Amino acid sequence: MRSSTKSLLALNLSLAATAGACDDLAVKDGGGWADDPVSFRDCIPPGCTTNSPFVGDYPFSNIRTKQISPANTPIDGVVASAAWGSGHFQRADNSWVTFDFLVPTDQGRLYAYNSATNTRDYIDQGKQAFFTITITDSSVSPSTTETYQMWIKGVTTASPTPSFTAWKYTIATKAPPPTADFPSVGSPISFPPLTPWGGTYYSICPVSAEETGEALILQSAKLVFDGDAAWLEDGYGWGPENAEVSSHAVIACQGHAFSKPQELLGVAPNSRDNTGHYAGRRYGLANYNALANAYRAFFAGDSRTQLGTPVFFKDFAHSPAWFDQTTSAYLPRRRRPSAPGSSCSSPCIKTSIRSATRSAPIAITPTPTPRAAPIACTTRPPATPTSRAGAA
């Protein structure tokens, strides 16, 4: 059983708010929570830093919206890239069309765009889509190039708020999986002509009790990580349908830190889209990074939460708050008396946070550069086994 941290973090737009939580929350509060003590994961790079899907052993986090446009690996300092091509989309009437742009909307809804015919097809309105990915690794000598078939098999949604739908995709590859955590999703029963699309495909995202194997797409962003530090950078380029300098997007696995703000809180990192609908849910890169690192409890070069750790947030940057998980609908109920001297009742909310024992605070930094950020306190028991990919 994986350990859980029952903590409540309060984030505001300035990234300087004190986190709020209860140091006297009982470890057995709330059904379905792990009942062992707070603990942390021991990160061994790159195992818990990438937050990436994998095509073979390549971390396929970054993708360009235009085909044949390379996107760099998220690993800072490694000269490797991936470019997709040969896009085919099967419409609901079983007909096939090609596309040269694969574009996420503000909420991560993918559409296939054919610039020659100026037609757009939402992936969820058809049956499936295919494309190839060519991975070039120049960090080795001689450099290597591999091409694999990719399959967008299915789509589901989540609705963290009435005005925001988070789109999640089952994306698979014919590349051999890196581990058994990336299972087979089967074989397509129909596929485009010419390229050998048939065969067995494997999920590019891991599957476990905390991970569905689905992927969320983050618009106009690109992922970078250096050691255990991970952050998003601006990926707008000259626009998502620009033929010269197309935008980047990030493929983030469900259950991992960089997908959670979009799936669970209904906010997105892109701050460049000016449409009225999205203007209410754009959180900006700095704030999105702070949320992701808060999910990871990133401090002093390490991610210190277990995969699946419940973390709760309240937005102080807007009135009314864009999200508020400080209510009884989210927080566990107390089942035993408070510790001596505690005055907190259930649901347990305080304006500051103290560790259950006298330990140093965890400072959650949004980027590798020094920056004011929310803080949270807790205790650090002995390290626990490594878990994957920035995944708390």
Side-chain angles (χ1 to χ4, degrees):
M1 180 178 294
R2 292 182 174 177
S3 303
S4 66
T5 304
K6 296 189 175 131
S7 59
L8 167 68
L9 300 178
L11 179 70
N12 72 7
L13 195 60
S14 70
L15 305 182
T18 301
C22 272
D23 55 349
D24 55 349
L25 276 176
V27 294
K28 294 185 179 181
D29 289 343
W33 293 67
D35 56 5
D36 46 342
V38 171
S39 60
F40 303 92
R41 60 166 169 241
D42 182 20
C43 284
I44 303 175
C48 53
T49 61
T50 68
N51 202 68
S52 285
F54 281 85
V55 174
D57 59 0
Y58 179 83
F60 184 42
S61 291
N62 296 324
I63 185 172
R64 297 286 287 278
T65 52
K66 185 181 183 296
Q67 68 172 0
I68 321 301
S69 300
N72 290 336
T73 174
I75 308 173
D76 189 37
V78 173
V79 185
S81 63
W84 68 272
S86 302
H88 292 79
F89 173 67
Q90 188 178 28
R91 289 173 168 162
D93 63 2
N94 291 321
S95 63
W96 290 94
V97 294
T98 60
F99 59 89
D100 55 344
F101 286 81
L102 186 60
V103 182
T105 67
D106 45 12
Q107 299 180 12
R109 187 184 186 190
L110 283 174
Y111 66 86
Y113 174 55
N114 186 309
S115 60
T117 60
N118 194 30
T119 54
R120 296 168 181 83
D121 290 278
Y122 284 102
I123 301 299
D124 58 282
Q125 294 180 347
K127 293 193 170 180
Q128 57 185 342
F130 293 87
F131 59 93
T132 60
I133 177 174
T134 299
I135 301 167
T136 302
D137 186 357
S138 300
S139 65
V140 296
S141 182
S143 62
T144 61
T145 300
E146 299 284 348
T147 298
Y148 300 102
Q149 287 74 40
M150 306 291 294
W151 179 23
I152 304 179
K153 180 183 180 181
V155 56
T156 63
T157 60
S159 298
T161 74
S163 63
F164 193 101
T165 299
W167 297 81
K168 300 180 287 185
Y169 295 88
T170 298
I171 305 176
T173 178
K174 288 177 68 175
T179 70
D181 294 334
F182 299 76
S184 167
V185 301
S187 302
I189 59 175
S190 62
F191 37 80
L194 302 179
T195 302
W197 299 103
T200 301
Y201 285 75
Y202 299 90
S203 174
I204 65 170
C205 285
V207 175
S208 71
E210 295 85 13
E211 304 155 299
T212 64
E214 297 170 300
L216 288 86
I217 315 300
L218 311 183
Q219 185 193 54
S220 300
K222 52 186 174 182
L223 179 68
V224 182
F225 58 84
D226 182 5
D228 281 326
W231 65 97
L232 297 179
E233 294 182 350
D234 182 27
Y236 186 77
W238 289 359
E241 293 180 3
N242 185 278
E244 295 184 47
V245 185
S246 60
S247 295
H248 285 75
V250 171
I251 305 173
C253 291
Q254 190 277 337
H256 292 195
F258 283 91
S259 70
K260 285 183 174 182
Q262 187 157 301
E263 181 188 15
L264 303 181
L265 303 177
V267 296
N270 172 33
S271 59
R272 289 179 175 268
D273 193 311
N274 293 319
T275 60
H277 173 71
Y278 188 51
R281 304 303 300 182
R282 61 184 182 188
Y283 220 52
L285 288 171
N287 288 289
Y288 199 97
N289 282 329
L291 283 169
N293 280 311
Y295 278 118
R296 300 173 69 209
F298 185 80
F299 169 62
D302 284 317
S303 298
R304 299 167 186 269
T305 50
Q306 287 280 34
L307 179 67
T309 297
V311 182
F312 303 107
F313 294 90
K314 180 175 182 179
D315 172 47
F316 284 162
H318 305 90
S319 181
W322 288 359
F323 47 84
D324 183 357
Q325 297 177 328
T326 65
T327 68
S328 59
Y330 294 92
L331 295 179
R333 290 185 176 276
R334 176 175 306 286
R335 292 183 180 176
R336 67 185 188 187
S338 301
S342 172
S343 60
C344 191
S345 59
S346 181
C348 199
I349 306 168
K350 289 183 180 179
T351 56
S352 62
I353 182 169
R354 300 191 308 275
S355 172
T357 61
R358 302 299 181 186
S359 61
I362 294 178
I364 302 162
T365 54
T367 72
T369 22
R371 178 189 300 267
I375 59 170
C377 295
T378 186
T379 333
R380 183 176 185 180
T384 55
T386 301
S387 64
R388 183 180 307 280

